[in-house]
Amino acid sequence: MDEMTYMQISCYATPNDTDRKHVDEIAQSILKHGWDGAPILVDSVQGICLTGSHRMAALQHLADDTDMDVDDMTVALDVHDILEDWYASQDPDTVDELPLDNLSAIFAGTEVEEYKDQLPEW
């Protein structure tokens, strides 16, 4: 798994709508404490975020509306290889899309599992 910066993932699609109040809370926390917590999980081949819609929106807000330089912050993990392994282990007749509301189905037993307590989608 490769770590990725905000600049590398800033154009990636996110999985969920966001709540502005929650985005503002995260942005304030990043301003005060820096990047803290679980990384945003991304698939660099598909150019998508699997988690982190609110964190992405907060980073975008900080990039656009403050003097904070977020471009080089390491904020994501590329989990493409894990996703490929998961897809290969599935019956192609029953799996149409990733279970983004149940990440444990994909990441249980992988190094990503260390973040399970920080990811509501787990």
Side-chain angles (χ1 to χ4, degrees):
M1 284 186 313
D2 292 328
E3 293 181 334
M4 299 181 76
T5 65
Y6 174 68
M7 185 182 344
Q8 292 173 296
I9 68 166
S10 63
C11 63
Y12 284 15
T14 55
N16 302 308
D17 293 330
T18 57
D19 173 87
R20 187 65 197 173
K21 182 179 179 191
H22 189 50
V23 169
D24 290 342
E25 290 168 354
I26 293 170
Q28 290 304 311
S29 177
I30 294 170
L31 277 170
K32 186 174 182 179
H33 305 287
W35 184 260
D36 187 30
I40 298 168
L41 303 179
V42 302
D43 182 338
S44 64
V45 174
Q46 295 184 55
I48 60 169
C49 297
L50 306 175
T51 64
S53 297
H54 287 88
R55 291 173 286 159
M56 284 289 286
L59 289 164
Q60 181 68 52
H61 166 67
L62 292 171
D64 291 346
D65 300 329
T66 71
D67 292 334
M68 185 174 202
D69 182 11
V70 298
D71 285 348
D72 294 326
M73 287 178 132
T74 301
V75 297
L77 286 178
D78 183 2
V79 295
H80 176 76
D81 291 341
I82 295 172
L83 296 178
E84 288 225 323
D85 291 345
W86 181 81
Y87 272 121
S89 72
Q90 302 303 303
D91 178 354
D93 294 330
T94 61
V95 174
D96 291 334
E97 57 188 52
L98 290 170
L100 294 178
D101 59 341
N102 181 16
L103 295 179
S104 65
I106 302 168
F107 297 113
T110 71
E111 55 267 40
V112 175
E113 191 169 28
E114 74 179 274
Y115 303 109
K116 70 180 181 181
D117 295 334
Q118 300 172 44
L119 298 170
E121 305 90 349
W122 198 268

